[in-house]
Amino acid sequence: MATPLVVSDVAKSFTMHLRDGVTLPVVTGVSFSIRAGECAVLGGPSGAGKSSILKMLYGNYAVDEGQIIVQHGGGLIDLASASPRTVLSVRRHTIGYVSQFLRTVPRVSALDVVAEPLVERGEDREGAREKARSLLAQLNLPEKLWALPPATFSGGEQQRVNIARGFITEHPILLLDEPTASLDAKNRDVVVELIAAKKAAGVALLGIFHDLDVREAVADRVIDVSAFAAGKIAA
Amino acid sequence: MTAQPTGIATYNFAYLDDQTKRMIRRAILKGIAIPGYQVPFASREMPMPYGWGTGGVQVTASIIGPDDVLKVIDQGADDTTNAVSIRAFFKKVAKVAVTTETAKATIIQSRHRIPEHPLTAAQVLVFQVPIPEPLRFLEPRETETRKMHALEEYGLMHVKLYEDIARHGRIATTYAYPVKVEGRYVMDPSPTPKFDNPKMHCSPALQLFGAGREKRIYAVPPFTDVVSLDFEDHPFEVQTFDQPCALCGAENVYLDEVILDDHGGHMFVCSDTDHCEKRRGDSTSPSWGGRAEGAGGSGLATTPATSTPALRADPPHEGEGKEAE
Amino acid sequence: MTDEPLLRVSALSKFYGSRVGCENVTFDLWPGEVLAVVGESGSGKTTLLNCLSTRLLPSSGTASYRMRDGQWRELYRMSEAERRFLMRTDWGFVHQNPADGLRMTVSAGANVGERLMAVGDRHYGRIRATAVDWLSRVEIDEDRIDDEPRAFSGGMRQRLQIARNLVTGPRLVFMDEPTGGLDVSVQARLLDLLRGLVTDLGLAAIVVTHDLAVARLLSQRMMVMKDGRVVESGLTDRVLDDPRAPYTQLLVSSILQV
């Protein structure tokens, strides 16, 4: 089976024009690949650039150097140099992303927030809602909340809406940015189950997990980000 | 040059000088060539106030010849101030024959009516127009309305009719009802009752429109399509009256309500006084032959023998005949 | 979805004498895509919008539009009649001030229905039913259909303007600060509504705004303008989360946090 995601020699730094153009190196020489059905976890201390790597893989951060080769639509594309339109298409069809925080949209119900990625991919609204209901139930979100906009939910409730939204689609690549950060033990276990199911379905997963138990339970492999510390190459 | 004995030698025939008449005739010809299109013209000051038919008078003055027979009506009547004055004016400055009888006239200048008696190809109907632009009350910019005519953007005209139906449950516009001429220009037929709109369609007579204050002339050539705008589910309809004319018994004519006293007494009579008199004359006095007056006659037309005339003599005024919006 | 853009803009410039309105702007817009043009007053974003919507002719450059029949047409070579027809059928223009986009003295229903009548609909009942439908889609009560927009609040007027524009099912809508001048709570409601309509109808839109939050909520792509030039462009979240140009960094860092 072809490798869905190959990262080679990716470098990233921030140039702070408001501070006299000082350059903050983040990572350099980032190289790894993820196989289908595998869950890799980015390891390393805080500030090592784990989140930045994830955001580059999602097109949310620009890439200075290197390539991010993604299997997309029957071909290979380099996400690092792709046009915005291609990145959008990759997000719709190939790479899913579960962030730590839900960016809430006012007045849209939790159920529709979860169903939206499916609707965007062309599924009919009722079918999408049905899947959203079953996911929200699995994540133990009280049914009385489903019809409400998540803006006023607690952190844990919002996080579960966010997870459901991230897991509802069948993207072949899924990026997880501390999805379990504010969950209790019972719901952490649900997320572990969801990840296992994705693996079984052949999805390539890359995540950041600070929770050691969860990491133990899901990680096939840990990629140590400190190896890509920007200072090293320069030396 | 010495003054001629009549004392009106300083006037040209029909008041206007020849250069002005040529200019107006060119505007008329252009209007005929482009049916329904408003042709700007250099409107002259006339010896009467705006709102009293200065546009119509200039058109009439430019087309009238010594052999013409002129009829002037004001809302159907030959005997109201406006009609009487204009008739007297042309009798004086052009020495033409005047008449009140539709069939005998070659030029009929009208304020807001088309005679009931069918017109012929030998006749010209001249309308007095207060506001020639049918789009004006919805779009105040002249630059924009001209562009809308040029590009045939007439959706706005139906907006007005839509508003009528939304407010009144039907198209409540009863006069100045917009028409489309020869499938192209939307035109204001002047504040005639919509009852007269069908008479404009394929009329054998040439129809000319003059707006003095607004400096526009437009025309409907003989046998031209004139279609009243409407909706499929609210088709154009003319007014109908429950009863015939109280004086002559005519049906299917346009009636005016006439107040008889201070106690609510009223009756409906023909708006077209000539038509009414003719019918009554036909039945009671077969020898009726019209009242064509000779040139240089005794001045004002005599008041016809109806009980109603003075009641309809409403003086025209600025921007008359349109609802303020 | 087709793989051709809807609008192709190439090296578009507008000069006012020696002053630059906008200079050398190039981009493609695809069906269903919302592009935000951000920048401060005088950055040229409104000049660009006016050129694109053919309300203003550029000094140089081209813009081509793919018509409904699939034909590409150069906007600045079309006749005025064709452009005006496009403007009231396949395009919409939402003004910052609703009074500029509405007829304030005719009823809400007629405001919505005007475009239908302009393209030849002559059935009152159908026009009214469509107007009722569109008023409900922009959350205006049906019983306000015969009221004039003069009697509406700012937010309602703006929603009415949107309905008036969308009733002919346009494929491209221009918006000039659509939430400008509205209270914050009214803004949020309008943004939701716009977001939903854009998604449901698959509209392409070019939204000029100085409000980065509006850009983030409505658009997928963004162009940042300064002094008439595009200083940065890309995916909206990329530009906002990882701004590269000095001016963009300044803009993003200037957002008030609440």
Side-chain angles (χ1 to χ4, degrees):
Chain A
M1 197 187 263
T3 310
L5 179 66
V6 179
V7 181
S8 57
D9 266 332
V10 163
K12 171 73 187 169
S13 63
F14 291 112
T15 303
M16 316 295 278
H17 293 286
L18 302 184
R19 284 197 265 148
D20 302 324
V22 63
T23 299
L24 301 178
V26 184
V27 288
T28 187
V30 179
S31 299
F32 60 84
S33 60
I34 317 280
R35 289 187 301 277
E38 175 188 45
C39 179
V41 171
L42 293 173
S46 246
K50 300 188 294 287
S51 254
S52 293
I53 291 174
L54 226 50
K55 285 176 172 169
M56 283 190 282
L57 294 184
Y58 197 57
N60 181 228
Y61 277 6
V63 176
D64 295 347
E65 287 172 32
Q67 291 183 313
I68 298 169
I69 304 297
V70 180
Q71 272 223 331
H72 172 67
L76 296 176
I77 59 117
D78 176 13
L79 205 58
S81 60
S83 72
R85 179 171 150 76
T86 307
V87 175
L88 287 173
S89 168
V90 167
R91 287 180 184 180
R92 192 172 293 128
H93 299 288
T94 305
I95 301 183
Y97 184 82
V98 182
S99 64
Q100 286 182 58
F101 306 105
L102 179 65
R103 195 177 282 282
T104 54
V105 181
R107 298 205 308 166
V108 179
S109 74
L111 193 69
D112 282 340
V113 168
V114 174
E116 193 185 15
L118 279 185
V119 176
E120 277 178 10
R121 299 178 98 198
E123 257 185 63
D124 77 281
R125 196 169 287 277
E126 219 18 70
R129 280 185 180 149
E130 197 46 53
K131 283 190 187 142
R133 280 188 201 98
S134 100
L135 264 175
L136 288 174
Q138 198 179 347
L139 284 157
N140 305 304
L141 190 76
E143 196 170 338
K144 62 176 194 286
L145 296 182
W146 294 0
L148 301 177
T152 54
F153 291 8
S154 73
E157 286 160 351
Q158 287 198 2
Q159 181 68 333
R160 277 177 276 162
V161 171
N162 207 21
I163 289 166
R165 181 180 159 90
F167 278 83
I168 195 167
T169 55
E170 288 166 5
H171 288 105
I173 301 169
L174 197 55
L175 308 174
L176 309 167
D177 189 356
E178 299 204 50
T180 56
S182 42
L183 298 187
D184 57 20
K186 189 171 82 173
N187 284 311
R188 272 202 299 273
D189 291 343
V190 175
V191 174
V192 169
E193 283 169 31
L194 287 172
I195 291 174
K198 286 285 181 198
K199 278 160 71 172
V203 174
L205 294 109
L206 178 67
I208 301 170
F209 297 96
H210 284 149
D211 187 312
L212 283 175
D213 294 341
V214 176
R215 192 199 294 191
E216 280 301 304
V218 301
D220 296 308
R221 182 157 64 97
V222 175
I223 298 166
D224 186 3
V225 172
S226 46
F228 309 132
K232 274 193 163 183
I233 298 289
Chain B
M1 275 233 217
T2 51
Q4 288 179 16
T6 55
I8 56 165
T10 46
Y11 290 109
N12 286 286
F13 176 76
Y15 186 73
L16 292 175
D17 64 273
D18 283 338
Q19 289 303 332
T20 297
K21 285 185 198 160
R22 278 184 197 156
M23 176 271 293
I24 292 173
R25 286 174 196 147
R26 278 195 295 269
I28 291 171
L29 285 173
K30 181 170 179 180
I32 293 170
I34 315 171
Y37 171 73
Q38 298 165 46
V39 184
F41 80 108
S43 179
R44 296 293 193 250
E45 286 301 320
M46 297 305 285
M48 61 189 70
Y50 289 129
W52 287 72
T54 56
V57 166
Q58 288 179 79
V59 169
T60 299
S62 301
I63 61 168
I64 201 164
D67 301 330
D68 273 312
V69 179
L70 179 68
K71 170 182 164 80
V72 182
I73 48 174
D74 178 1
Q75 303 211 344
D78 296 273
D79 49 19
T80 58
T81 315
N82 199 220
V84 168
S85 303
I86 292 173
R87 204 161 50 222
F89 174 74
F90 280 108
K91 247 169 78 176
K92 188 169 189 182
V93 301
K95 296 186 171 159
V96 292
V98 295
T99 182
T100 57
E101 201 178 347
T102 301
K104 291 205 168 152
T106 56
I107 297 173
I108 301 165
Q109 179 168 333
S110 170
R111 175 174 175 266
H112 314 349
R113 270 310 311 275
I114 297 175
E116 305 290 357
H117 190 279
L119 301 180
T120 69
Q123 292 176 306
V124 179
L125 185 57
V126 177
F127 293 82
Q128 301 169 202
V129 181
I131 293 168
E133 179 49 71
L135 299 161
R136 179 61 67 237
F137 286 92
L138 293 155
E139 176 52 68
R141 292 166 296 179
E142 172 71 13
T143 49
E144 184 66 14
T145 50
R146 284 206 205 184
K147 198 164 275 179
M148 291 161 91
H149 282 293
L151 302 178
E152 226 179 324
E153 291 182 5
Y154 290 132
L156 202 50
M157 223 51 258
H158 275 85
V159 168
K160 184 168 188 320
L161 301 180
Y162 170 98
E163 289 287 83
D164 259 11
I165 304 172
R167 288 203 182 121
H168 309 290
R170 68 197 154 80
I171 296 177
T173 299
T174 52
Y175 57 91
Y177 191 106
V179 294
K180 194 167 210 179
V181 182
E182 202 63 8
R184 177 58 180 85
Y185 284 94
V186 165
M187 187 187 89
D188 183 336
S190 85
T192 48
K194 66 178 178 179
F195 180 87
D196 287 342
N197 276 20
K199 295 180 193 160
M200 305 184 105
H201 176 64
C202 287
S203 167
L206 171 63
Q207 301 172 81
L208 301 176
F209 300 78
R213 184 185 39 203
E214 301 292 323
K215 302 173 174 55
R216 293 290 183 277
I217 284 172
Y218 51 103
V220 175
F223 305 106
T224 299
D225 281 343
V226 177
V227 178
S228 303
L229 302 183
D230 62 2
F231 286 100
E232 289 161 24
D233 49 345
H234 287 268
F236 172 79
E237 284 171 350
V238 298
Q239 295 99 326
T240 53
F241 299 89
D242 300 335
Q243 62 223 61
C245 170
L247 296 177
C248 74
E251 290 178 353
N252 302 317
V253 296
Y254 192 73
L255 301 181
D256 282 339
E257 182 180 10
V258 177
I259 306 297
L260 298 174
D261 51 38
D262 290 342
H263 312 290
H266 64 110
M267 65 177 178
F268 286 90
V269 298
C270 283
S271 145
D272 186 336
T273 51
D274 172 60
H275 183 73
C276 198
E277 284 166 26
K278 194 95 184 347
R279 282 176 53 84
R280 281 180 287 153
D282 281 347
S283 55
T284 58
S285 164
S287 61
W288 172 268
R291 294 183 289 107
E293 300 164 39
S298 62
L300 296 185
T302 50
T303 301
T306 75
S307 60
T308 61
L311 296 165
R312 280 201 298 278
D314 50 339
H317 52 83
E318 295 277 306
E320 62 172 356
K322 295 270 187 166
E323 290 164 67
E325 307 227 1
Chain C
M1 197 183 277
T2 168
D3 228 35
E4 267 195 297
L6 193 62
L7 181 70
R8 284 193 167 125
V9 180
S10 175
L12 203 68
S13 300
K14 173 72 185 177
F15 302 101
Y16 301 100
S18 59
R19 215 159 49 76
V20 176
C22 63
E23 189 168 11
N24 203 23
V25 178
T26 298
F27 69 91
D28 287 349
L29 186 75
W30 270 267
E33 201 170 46
V34 180
L35 173 72
V37 182
V38 304
E40 56 201 23
S41 303
S43 63
K45 55 192 199 304
T46 299
T47 296
L48 176 64
L49 191 76
N50 285 335
C51 283
L52 294 173
S53 59
T54 73
R55 297 153 62 82
L56 202 61
L57 285 180
S59 308
S60 64
T62 59
S64 310
Y65 182 72
R66 187 161 52 81
M67 310 292 283
R68 288 194 193 206
D69 62 5
Q71 295 290 311
W72 281 94
R73 297 291 308 275
E74 261 198 55
L75 292 179
Y76 310 120
R77 297 197 170 176
M78 292 169 85
S79 70
E80 186 174 15
E82 289 175 303
R83 275 188 268 130
R84 284 171 69 112
F85 183 74
L86 199 61
M87 202 72 207
R88 58 173 196 263
T89 54
D90 215 20
W91 288 4
F93 196 109
V94 176
H95 296 262
Q96 173 172 4
N97 180 0
D100 294 338
L102 292 172
R103 292 197 189 277
M104 298 303 279
T105 55
V106 304
S107 69
N111 262 288
V112 176
E114 181 177 342
R115 273 177 162 236
L116 296 174
M117 294 180 248
V119 297
D121 199 328
R122 293 288 177 266
H123 192 282
Y124 173 83
R126 211 160 50 216
I127 291 165
R128 194 167 172 86
T130 308
V132 167
D133 177 47
W134 268 101
L135 289 179
S136 80
R137 287 169 86 162
V138 298
E139 300 167 17
I140 294 175
D141 281 343
E142 186 181 336
D143 61 14
R144 302 300 300 269
I145 189 169
D146 294 329
D147 292 351
E148 291 175 8
R150 283 191 291 206
F152 286 7
S153 68
M156 270 175 87
R157 288 180 186 182
Q158 197 56 295
R159 281 179 275 133
L160 179 64
Q161 192 191 181
I162 289 163
R164 175 178 160 90
N165 271 283
L166 297 188
V167 67
T168 49
R171 295 187 302 158
L172 174 60
V173 178
F174 301 96
M175 302 188 204
D176 186 8
E177 304 277 7
T179 60
L182 298 177
D183 292 343
V184 177
S185 61
V186 177
Q187 270 191 31
R189 185 175 177 194
L190 188 73
L191 280 174
D192 279 349
L193 182 80
L194 272 178
R195 204 175 157 276
L197 288 172
V198 163
T199 313
D200 290 350
L201 304 171
L203 287 179
I206 296 176
V207 183
V208 159
T209 178
H210 66 275
D211 187 336
L212 297 180
V214 169
R216 191 190 280 275
L217 205 58
L218 281 183
S219 72
Q220 293 104 37
R221 275 173 59 205
M222 190 159 141
M223 292 201 307
V224 182
M225 292 190 72
K226 183 178 190 329
D227 300 332
R229 290 157 208 263
V230 176
V231 295
E232 183 163 3
S233 64
L235 280 181
T236 298
D237 63 88
R238 205 281 295 155
V239 172
L240 292 176
D241 294 345
D242 182 15
R244 316 276 281 175
Y247 179 68
T248 317
Q249 291 188 355
L250 178 67
L251 265 190
V252 171
S253 70
S254 307
I255 303 175
L256 293 174
Q257 302 288 336
V258 273

